Amino acid sequence: MTKANKKVIQSGKGVHERVIDASLHLFTQQGYFNTSVPDIVKASNCSTGSIYHHFKDKEGIANALYESLLHRMNAVLGEIEQQFPTSKQRCRAVIELLFQLTETEPDVMEFIIYAKHKEFLPGNNPICSSRPFQKMREFITEGIANGELEPIDDMVAAASIYGGALRLIVLRLDGVIEHSLMDKLDDVWKCAWRSVAA
Amino acid sequence: MTKANKKVIQSGKGVHERVIDASLHLFTQQGYFNTSVPDIVKASNCSTGSIYHHFKDKEGIANALYESLLHRMNAVLGEIEQQFPTSKQRCRAVIELLFQLTETEPDVMEFIIYAKHKEFLPGNNPICSSRPFQKMREFITEGIANGELEPIDDMVAAASIYGGALRLIVLRLDGVIEHSLMDKLDDVWKCAWRSVAA
DNA sequence: GTCTATATCCAGATAGAC
DNA sequence: GTCTATCTGGATATAGAC
């Protein structure tokens, strides 16, 4: 990508947003620790001084990014909850959402489900304890309670429903799968649902 | 752990093994980039000079560790292949093996399936392309070919069979699950097999 | 082969002009 | 609020005695 391109893409954005955008890209492509603040300076077209004016430190950047992505995920899951009444519909919608996000914004997906946050955000809980992941499990718990799903351990059921999709997402992000996950959605869903349906 | 303890544990081992052992522990507990060579010096009771005499550099340590664990995994999967003739038996044995390893040697499991190798071993292929992971998928492919499993996409079938177990392993390593995975083995396997059985 | 002492580098972070 | 110049610490890696 040329310098000119970068400027076009990021024109009109404030420092905060430019830094977050650049960092998401660098962190997912190279890893948090392989990305230096000077790297972020170059990629964001902001100066060191500006960056430290807007963020406490490098970890503060990662934290802002993390919070914003979790917040966004949580909002979308809330919409799914409102739109669909059954466990079956909700879980299917979640998997479709995750696949779509993997295809359209792989950096976002990679940062959410594939980054080792505890290594660079040691203060935070593991991401699987975060609100969005909890909500995903609630969809399951309710399904067990109302008899849509087999009466088994919640964690086992959640892992069975979402586990296959999450594996495929990792394989896709790693380049092992070369075509769009959307092609596999129906098959994945069929397997996932069969594994726990009552 | 006291210094005395450490010496007892590692007495009689050579530099190579002491360094590998200490590094596995440090890398999984703190992350590769949060572990300095001086950290490894202290934990292994080897001097900087000795370490660099036996390994080219810090990455060389991680690489030796990675290769040795993959080699070990590969050997055990080979035994499973020999011992069991059917896809069903083999996949079940794989999941049991992974659960056992998670409980008895969580560091090993964490380094194999949860570390972001591409960030600190940039030369290597993604681990899901490695021999052991390929072999796990072969067990599936053969099952599809001989009619034990539904005739669906190999990757989808593999993700469905192993995905739930791998999710639970991550939850266990993150401390979200507090009891032994062995307790859940039967349920996990039932779900996994139902998802793809012909 | 193992050790201590040390060189070199570059990261993260700050100071202070504008 | 943004910038450039700079400080400081600690990391990786080496040198060279033993």
Side-chain angles (χ1 to χ4, degrees):
Chain A
M1 187 186 288
T2 66
K3 235 189 252 178
N5 252 336
K6 231 187 265 172
K7 274 181 191 161
V8 169
I9 287 172
Q10 305 195 326
S11 67
K13 294 184 177 178
V15 170
H16 188 95
E17 190 173 1
R18 297 212 309 268
V19 169
I20 289 287
D21 287 357
S23 299
L24 170 60
H25 191 243
L26 291 168
F27 290 167
T28 50
Q29 296 305 305
Q30 319 181 337
Y32 175 83
F33 293 102
N34 293 321
T35 301
S36 66
V37 174
D39 286 342
I40 299 173
V41 168
K42 283 167 215 140
S44 66
N45 286 318
C46 300
S47 67
T48 312
S50 266
I51 292 177
Y52 278 96
H53 179 79
H54 287 261
F55 300 91
K56 180 174 171 288
D57 52 19
K58 186 183 163 190
E59 188 179 319
I61 299 173
N63 205 54
L65 182 51
Y66 184 74
E67 294 295 340
S68 95
L69 293 182
L70 283 188
H71 188 264
R72 185 177 151 193
M73 278 295 293
N74 206 37
V76 187
L77 289 172
E79 287 172 26
I80 287 175
E81 191 172 21
Q82 288 213 315
Q83 191 177 351
F84 300 106
T86 69
S87 254
K88 184 174 182 178
Q89 289 170 308
R90 286 170 178 177
C91 292
R92 155 94 197 198
V94 167
I95 291 173
E96 183 166 0
L97 165 69
L98 296 177
F99 277 15
Q100 259 162 4
L101 205 54
T102 305
E103 296 301 331
T104 59
E105 298 178 74
D107 285 348
V108 168
M109 206 65 220
E110 178 138 4
F111 193 84
I112 293 177
I113 71 152
Y114 202 15
K116 292 220 68 182
H117 310 100
K118 80 170 169 188
E119 289 186 4
F120 56 92
L121 296 173
N124 291 344
N125 288 329
I127 193 158
C128 42
S129 308
S130 66
R131 267 311 279 141
F133 280 71
Q134 279 178 35
K135 191 161 252 164
M136 282 170 60
R137 286 200 291 270
E138 281 169 22
F139 293 164
I140 305 286
T141 310
E142 291 168 19
I144 294 173
N146 70 27
E148 278 185 80
L149 305 185
E150 290 272 344
I152 55 171
D153 182 281
D154 297 46
M155 287 285 181
V156 173
S160 293
I161 280 268
Y162 299 121
L166 292 171
R167 279 308 298 162
L168 286 172
I169 289 169
V170 168
L171 291 166
R172 177 70 168 136
L173 293 172
D174 274 345
V176 176
I177 292 176
E178 292 173 348
H179 301 304
S180 170
L181 289 180
M182 301 314 291
D183 300 345
K184 307 191 191 296
L185 177 58
D186 288 335
D187 280 350
V188 171
W189 172 246
K190 199 166 66 181
C191 292
W193 187 249
R194 286 214 318 177
S195 73
V196 293
Chain B
M1 187 186 291
T2 65
K3 235 188 253 179
N5 251 335
K6 231 186 266 171
K7 272 179 193 160
V8 169
I9 287 172
Q10 304 196 327
S11 66
K13 294 185 178 180
V15 171
H16 188 95
E17 190 172 2
R18 297 215 307 271
V19 170
I20 289 287
D21 287 356
S23 299
L24 170 60
H25 191 243
L26 290 168
F27 290 168
T28 51
Q29 296 306 305
Q30 319 180 339
Y32 175 83
F33 294 102
N34 294 320
T35 301
S36 67
V37 174
D39 287 341
I40 299 172
V41 167
K42 284 166 214 142
S44 66
N45 286 317
C46 300
S47 67
T48 313
S50 266
I51 293 177
Y52 278 96
H53 179 79
H54 286 261
F55 300 92
K56 181 173 170 289
D57 51 19
K58 186 183 162 189
E59 189 179 319
I61 299 173
N63 204 54
L65 182 51
Y66 184 74
E67 294 295 340
S68 96
L69 293 182
L70 283 188
H71 187 265
R72 184 176 152 194
M73 278 295 294
N74 206 37
V76 187
L77 289 173
E79 286 172 26
I80 288 176
E81 190 172 21
Q82 289 212 314
Q83 190 176 351
F84 300 107
T86 68
S87 253
K88 184 174 182 177
Q89 288 170 309
R90 286 170 177 177
C91 292
R92 156 96 196 197
V94 167
I95 292 174
E96 183 166 359
L97 165 70
L98 296 177
F99 277 14
Q100 260 162 3
L101 205 54
T102 305
E103 296 300 331
T104 58
E105 299 180 74
D107 286 348
V108 168
M109 206 64 221
E110 178 137 3
F111 193 84
I112 293 177
I113 72 152
Y114 201 15
K116 292 220 69 184
H117 311 99
K118 79 170 169 187
E119 290 185 3
F120 56 91
L121 296 172
N124 291 352
N125 289 330
I127 192 157
C128 43
S129 307
S130 66
R131 267 312 279 141
F133 280 72
Q134 279 178 35
K135 191 162 252 163
M136 282 170 60
R137 286 200 292 270
E138 282 169 21
F139 293 164
I140 304 286
T141 309
E142 291 167 20
I144 295 174
N146 69 26
E148 278 185 80
L149 305 184
E150 289 271 345
I152 56 172
D153 182 282
D154 297 48
M155 287 285 181
V156 173
S160 293
I161 281 266
Y162 299 121
L166 293 172
R167 278 310 296 164
L168 286 172
I169 289 169
V170 168
L171 291 166
R172 177 72 169 134
L173 293 173
D174 274 344
V176 177
I177 291 175
E178 292 173 350
H179 300 304
S180 170
L181 288 181
M182 301 314 291
D183 300 343
K184 306 191 192 294
L185 177 60
D186 288 336
D187 279 351
V188 171
W189 172 247
K190 200 165 67 180
C191 291
W193 186 249
R194 286 211 323 172
S195 72
V196 294

